[in-house]
C-alpha cells in the first residue's frame, strides 16, 4: 500500500473505497478539495453521499450498478465542472473501479486536460461555426441570385434586384456576365482590396483571377469547364497588408447568355487563419480525416521538387460523393471520407505523403518510384480498396469509385504548380471516362484540353449558326415489323469538318452547359417533325434524349409545355429518354419531373439499360414506360450465354413491372429471332434502318406501315 | 421540494450555456466559450403552486469532436434541443440528436430555436419548420442575448418535466 500511495501521489487525485452503501473511506488523498466536495472537515477520513455535487451523486448510482456485478471493470464519468463556491471551480473526472471485491472510486482533478481540451476545441469550433455561418450566408445570397437571374425580366430590372441583395451581403460579391465582364460588384469587395468603389472597374476580378491562377493550378480548367469552385487565396500588398480570402465561384444559369452568369463571393478569413495558426495541428491538418491539409501538402511538394529524385503525384477525386451526402446525409459523407482516408493511407509507404486537398479530393506523393507501371499498380490497389463496400451507421451498404490522375516528376513537370495542374487534368480525364479509373498524364492531355477549347468555341458558333440536324431512327414492333416509334438523333454539320457524331460533342456540350440550349433546339425541332410526320398521314411517337444537365434546368418543364401548346401536339406522341446515371445523379429532381411528365401524358424510357447502377428500386418508384436494353448486351446475343441471361432477366423483370422493352442495336436476324422468341416487343438497329433524314424516314414508313 | 433533472442538448455554438446563464444568473456574454464535458446549474421555479428545483445539465455540444453521450440522460425528466436560426445545419444535427434520445428514453422534449435577436439566415421555410416542430412536445423561439422568451421557455420545460412524472 505504501508504494501504491507513493505512485498515486504523482496524480492529482483522491481514492475512496466503499464501506457501506453510501459511506466511503479515504484510501489516498493529497488535495484539500475532496473535503469541500463532501462538505466535511479535513480530519474526516470517511465521506457520505449525497455529496455537494449533483453530477457525482448521479454517477455514484451508475457506479453501484457496476459494483453489484462481479466483473473486474471500470466506469468513467467524463469531465464535469463543479463550482463549489465563487472562487473554486473544479474540472473533475470520476472513475468507478471493481477489482477483486474492492469497490473503488477515484476522483481525478482534470484541470490541465480541461484547459488543453478547451484551448484546442475553442479554436476548432470557432472555425467550424464561422465556416458554417459563411456557407449559410453564401447559400442564402446564391438562392436569391438564382431566383432573380433565372426570372424572365429585363436585365435592368435584374440588376436592380441583385443590387438590393448584394448591398446587404456581409462579404464581397462580384457578378460577371458570360464573357466574364463585371456586371455588378458590391462596395464590400472593393473594401477587401482597399480599393475605391468603382462599379465598372475590372481591377478586383483581375486581381482575384491572377491570384487563383497562381495559387490553384486547376483554376484554369475549372473556368473552362464551368465548374463551381472554392479556394483560399493569400493576397499580399507589401509592406503591411496580408489577407487570406475565401473565394467561392458559382455558375448560375446555363448556356443562354441572358441567364448564364459567374458569381464570386469573397470573404476575409484572415481571423480564421490566425485562429488556425494558434494551433499548428489545425493549421496543417484536416480535422475530419486527421490527414495533412492542402497547405501541408504544398510545402511537402515544394520540398520534393527541390531534389532530383523521381516521384509521382496522384490527384484523387471521389466519384458521386454528392450522391452519398444526398442519400445518407452529411454525417455519412464525413464517415466515408474518414474511412477512405484510412484505406488510402494503408496502401502507402511510410515515406509517401497523403493529404486531403479539397472537399472530396486527396493528393498523394509516391516517393522512390521510377516506372509508370509501378505507379499504376499502386493506383489500381487504391481503386480496389475504395471499391470494397462501405457501410452506414444504419447498416446500409454502398459502393464508391475514384478518379485518379497521376503525374511524374521531373518528366511531366518540374514545379508544384505544373505537377498539380497536370495531375488534376489527368484526374478530370479519368472522371470523364468510366472505364479508365486511373489516368497517367501525357502531353496529349494538354493538347486535347486545348483542342477541347477550340471545339467548345466552334460548338458555341454552331448553336448560333443553326448547324445541327435531326435524324430519325425507326423503332419497330418485332412481331408485326411495323414502325411504332422513332428516336430523334442529333448530328452536327460542321462547316469545315463535315458531320460530327454526338459522341464527340455531346459530352462537351454537357460540361459547358450548352446542352440546355441544344436540348431545347432538339425538342423544338422534334415536335416540328412529329407535326410533319402527322401531316404525312402517320401517327408515330418520337423519343428524345434528355441529359443530366437538362434535367437540372428549372426551365425545362415550362419550355416543353409551351412547345406542346404551340404545336398542339398530343403529348402521348412524345417520349423522353434518360440514362440510369441521370436518374441516380439527382433522384429527387428526376422523380418530381418525371411525375409531372406523366401527368401531361408524356412517356419516359430508360436508355442504355443495364450499363448503369445496379440499384433497381427506382424502377418501381418512378413513372417509367419503357426500358431500352443497351446494344452491348444485344451485340453477341446469339453466342454469349451471359448476354442471353441478362436480356432474359430484363425481359422477365419488365414483364413483372409491366414495362415495354426495346432492344437497341439489333443488327442481324439471329438477334431478332432470339428477341421474338422471348417476347421482346420492340427493336431498333441497323437491321431495320440506320438513323435517316426526315424524307427517308417517311419513305421507310411508307414501305413498312 | 421536487427536483427535476433536465438536459440541454444540441450542436456546438447554438447557445446552450448562454441560455442557462441568462436563466440562472440573468447575464449574457458576447464571447463564445466552448463547454467541455458537463456543468450542472440549479434554479427553482414554481409551477401550479408547486416549487420545482430544475437541475439543468448543460452538455458539451455534439459535433465531430464530441459524440452524443446518452448515459447522461439517465434520470432526466425532460430535455431541450437547442438550435441556431442562423445555421441551417444545426436543425439537421439537432434532429439527429433528438432521434438518438428517443431511441434511449421516452421523456418530453422541447425544441428551442435560439438567437432570435439575429436575422434568420437559414433556408428553412415555415412549413419545413412546422414539420420538424411536430416531433416535439413544445417549441420556443429564444434569445439568450436579449432574454426574450428564456424564462417562459424554462418554465415550459419545468411544466413538461413535472407533467411527465405526474402522469
Amino acid at each position: 500500500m505504501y508504494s501504491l500511495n507513493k505512485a498515486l501521489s504523482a496524480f492529482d487525485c483522491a481514492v475512496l473505497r466503499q464501506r457501506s452503501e453510501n459511506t466511503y473511506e479515504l484510501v489516498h488523498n493529497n488535495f484539500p478539495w475532496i473535503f469541500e466536495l463532501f462538505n466535511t472537515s479535513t480530519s474526516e477520513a470517511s465521506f457520505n453521499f449525497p455529496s455537494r455535487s449533483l453530477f457525482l451523486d448521479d454517477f455514484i448510482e451508475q457506479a453501484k450498478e457496476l459494483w453489484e456485478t462481479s466483473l473486474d471493470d471500470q466506469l468513467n464519468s467524463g469531465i464535469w465542472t463543479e463550482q463549489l463556491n465563487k472562487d473554486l471551480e473544479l474540472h473533475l473526472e470520476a472513475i468507478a473501479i471493481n477489482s477483486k471485491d474492492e469497490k473503488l472510486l477515484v476522483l481525478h482533478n482534470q484541470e490541465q486536460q480541461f484547459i488543453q481540451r478547451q484551448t484546442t476545441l475553442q479554436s476548432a469550433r470557432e472555425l467550424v461555426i464561422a465556416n458554417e455561418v459563411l456557407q449559410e450566408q453564401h447559400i442564402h445570397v446564391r438562392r436569391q441570385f438564382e431566383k432573380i437571374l433565372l426570372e424572365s425580366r429585363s436585365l435592368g430590372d435584374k440588376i436592380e434586384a441583385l443590387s438590393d441583395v448584394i448591398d446587404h451581403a456581409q462579404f464581397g460579391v462580384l457578378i460577371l456576365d458570360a464573357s466574364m465582364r463585371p456586371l455588378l460588384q458590391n462596395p464590400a469587395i472593393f473594401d477587401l482590396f482597399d480599393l475605391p468603389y468603382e462599379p465598372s472597374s475590372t481591377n478586383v476580378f483581375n486581381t482575384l483571377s491572377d491570384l487563383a491562377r497562381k495559387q490553384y493550378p486547376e483554376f484554369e480548367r475549372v473556368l473552362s469547364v464551368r465548374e463551381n469552385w472554392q479556394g483560399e487565396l493569400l493576397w499580399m500588398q507589401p509592406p503591411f497588408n496580408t489577407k487570406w480570402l475565401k473565394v467561392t465561384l458559382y455558375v448560375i444559369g446555363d448556356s443562354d447568355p441572358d441567364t448564364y452568369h459567374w458569381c464570386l463571393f469573397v470573404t476575409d478569413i484572415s481571423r480564421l487563419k490566425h485562429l488556425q495558426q494558434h494551433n499548428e495541428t489545425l493549421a496543417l491538418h484536416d480535422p475530419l480525416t486527421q490527414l495533412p491539409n492542402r497547405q501541408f501538402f504544398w510545402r511537402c511538394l515544394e520540398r520534393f521538387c527541390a531534389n532530383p529524385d523521381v516521384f509521382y503525384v496522384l490527384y484523387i477525386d471521389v466519384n458521386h460523393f454528392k450522391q452519398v451526402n444526398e442519400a445518407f446525409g452529411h454525417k455519412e459523407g464525413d464517415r466515408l471520407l474518414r474511412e477512405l482516408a484510412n484505406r488510402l493511407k494503408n496502401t502507402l509507404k511510410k515515406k509517401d505523403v497523403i493529404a486531403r486537398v479539397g472537399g472530396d479530393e486527396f493528393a498523394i506523393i509516391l516517393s522512390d518510384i521510377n516506372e509508370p507501371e509501378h505507379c499504376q499498380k499502386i493506383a489500381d490497389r487504391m481503386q480496389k480498396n475504395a471499391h470494397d463496400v462501405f457501410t452506414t451507421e444504419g447498416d446500409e451498404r454502398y459502393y464508391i469509385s475514384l478518379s485518379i490522375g497521376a503525374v511524374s516528376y521531373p518528366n511531366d513537370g518540374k514545379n508544384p504548380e505544373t505537377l498539380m495542374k497536370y495531375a488534376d487534368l489527368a484526374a478530370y480525364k479519368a472522371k470523364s471516362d468510366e472505364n479508365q479509373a486511373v489516368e497517367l498524364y501525357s502531353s496529349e492531355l494538354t493538347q486535347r484540353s486545348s483542342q477541347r477549347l477550340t471545339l467548345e468555341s466552334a460548338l458555341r458558333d454552331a448553336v448560333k449558326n443553326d448547324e445541327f440536324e435531326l435524324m430519325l431512327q425507326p423503332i419497330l414492333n418485332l412481331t408485326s415489323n411495323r414502325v411504332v416509334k422513332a428516336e430523334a438523333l442529333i448530328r452536327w454539320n460542321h462547316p469545315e469538318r463535315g458531320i460530327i457524331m454526338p459522341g464527340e460533342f455531346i459530352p462537351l456540350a454537357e460540361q459547358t452547359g450548352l446542352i440546355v440550349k441544344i436540348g431545347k433546339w432538339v425538342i423544338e425541332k422534334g415536335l416540328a417533325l412529329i407535326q410533319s410526320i402527322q401531316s404525312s398521314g402517320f401517327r408515330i411517337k418520337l423519343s428524345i434524349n434528355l441529359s443530366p444537365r437538362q434535367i437540372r434546368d428549372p426551365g425545362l418543364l415550362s419550355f416543353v409545355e409551351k412547345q406542346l401548346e404551340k404545336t398542339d401536339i398530343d403529348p402521348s406522341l412524345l417520349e423522353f429518354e434518360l440514362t440510369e446515371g441521370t436518374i441516380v445523379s439527382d433522384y429527387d429532381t428526376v422523380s418530381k419531373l418525371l411525375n409531372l411528365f406523366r401527368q401531361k401524358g408524356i412517356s419516359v424510357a430508360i436508355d442504355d439499360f443495364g450499363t448503369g447502377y445496379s440499384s433497381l428500386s427506382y424502377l418501381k418508384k418512378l413513372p417509367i414506360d419503357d426500358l431500352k436494353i443497351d446494344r452491348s448486351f444485344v451485340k453477341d446475343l446469339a453466342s454469349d450465354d451471359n448476354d442471353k441471361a441478362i436480356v432474359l432477366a430484363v425481359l422477365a423483370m419488365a414483364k413483372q413491372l409491366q414495362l415495354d422493352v426495346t432492344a437497341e442495336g439489333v443488327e442481324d436476324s439471329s438477334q431478332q429471332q432470339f428477341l421474338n422468341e422471348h417476347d421482346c416487343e420492340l427493336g431498333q438497329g441497323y437491321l431495320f434502318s440506320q438513323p435517316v433524314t426526315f424524307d427517308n424516314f417517311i419513305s421507310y414508313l411508307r414501305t413498312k406501315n | 421540494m421536487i427536483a427535476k433533472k433536465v438536459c440541454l442538448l444540441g450542436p456546438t455554438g447554438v447557445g446552450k450555456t448562454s441560455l442557462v446563464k441568462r436563466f440562472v444568473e440573468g447575464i449574457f456574454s458576447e464571447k463564445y466559450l466552448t463547454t467541455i464535458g458537463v456543468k450542472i446549474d440549479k434554479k427553482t421555479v414554481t409551477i401550479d403552486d408547486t416549487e420545482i428545483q430544475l437541475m439543468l445539465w448543460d452538455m458539451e455540444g455534439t459535433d465531430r469532436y464530441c459524440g452524443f453521450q446518452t448515459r447522461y440522460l439517465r434520470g432526466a425528466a425532460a430535455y431541450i434541443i437547442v438550435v441556431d436560426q442562423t445555421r441551417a445545419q444545426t436543425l439537421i444535427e439537432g434532429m439527429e440528436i433528438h432521434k438518438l434520445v428517443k431511441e434511449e428514453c421516452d421523456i418530453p422534449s422541447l425544441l428551442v430555436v435560439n438567437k432570435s435577436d439575429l436575422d434568420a439566415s437559414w433556408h428553412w421555410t415555415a412549413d419545413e419548420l412546422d414539420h420538424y416542430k411536430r416531433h416535439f412536445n413544445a417549441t420556443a423561439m429564444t434569445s439568450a442575448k436579449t432574454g426574450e422568451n428564456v424564462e417562459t421557455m424554462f418554465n415550459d420545460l419545468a411544466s413538461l418535466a413535472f407533467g411527465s412524472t405526474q402522469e
Side-chain angles (χ1 to χ4, degrees), chain B residues 33-118:
Chain B
L33 188 65
T34 189
T35 301
I36 301 296
V38 179
K39 186 166 189 278
I40 306 172
D41 277 283
K42 289 179 285 188
K43 182 159 172 170
T44 304
V45 295
T46 307
I47 302 293
D48 298 335
D49 300 327
T50 307
E51 284 204 324
I52 299 171
Q53 185 180 55
L54 281 182
M55 293 183 289
L56 302 158
W57 283 54
D58 175 21
M59 299 196 202
E60 183 168 349
T62 307
D63 60 10
R64 63 179 68 157
Y65 309 106
C66 176
F68 176 58
Q69 307 270 357
T70 47
R71 63 185 165 147
Y72 292 139
L73 293 168
R74 185 193 161 100
Y79 65 95
I80 63 175
I81 300 281
V82 185
V83 299
D84 170 356
Q85 66 159 357
T86 66
R87 288 156 59 205
Q89 188 62 21
T90 60
L91 182 58
I92 296 173
E93 287 166 17
M95 292 308 295
E96 275 175 22
I97 298 168
H98 183 55
K99 197 174 140 209
L100 292 172
V101 181
K102 285 283 164 215
E103 282 168 11
E104 199 66 25
C105 55
D106 185 23
I107 52 174
S109 57
L110 206 152
L111 175 68
V112 173
V113 181
N114 196 29
K115 305 195 187 178
S116 63
D117 54 294
L118 301 175

Side-chain angles (χ1 to χ4, degrees), chain A residues 76-77 118 122 125 132, chain B residues 32 34 38 63 71-72 87:
Chain A
N76 193 313
S77 73
Q118 192 172 52
Q122 183 72 32
R125 285 177 170 154
E132 222 176 273
Chain B
Y32 164 58
T34 189
V38 179
D63 60 10
R71 63 185 165 147
Y72 292 139
R87 288 156 59 205

Side-chain angles (χ1 to χ4, degrees), chain A residues 4 36 43 216 270 292 295 398 410 442 445 470 474 561 597 621 630 662 667 670:
Chain A
L4 179 64
E36 290 274 352
S43 57
Y216 283 81
S270 307
Q295 278 79 16
Y398 64 95
S442 68
L445 272 183
L470 215 50
E561 281 172 339
F597 283 156
K621 293 186 205 154
D630 188 65
T662 305
E667 289 179 0
S670 64

Side-chain angles (χ1 to χ4, degrees), chain A residues 162-169 185-187 197:
Chain A
L162 290 168
S163 297
D164 285 347
V165 176
I166 67 172
D167 282 351
H168 295 106
Q185 327 185 52
N186 66 352
Y197 178 50

Side-chain angles (χ1 to χ4, degrees), chain A residues 95 126 129 165 167 291 352 558 608 612 614 641 669 671 696:
Chain A
I95 304 158
E126 279 184 37
I129 293 167
V165 176
D167 282 351
L291 290 181
D352 298 337
S558 63
D608 304 338
S614 52
D641 286 343
S669 49
Q671 293 165 341
N696 289 340

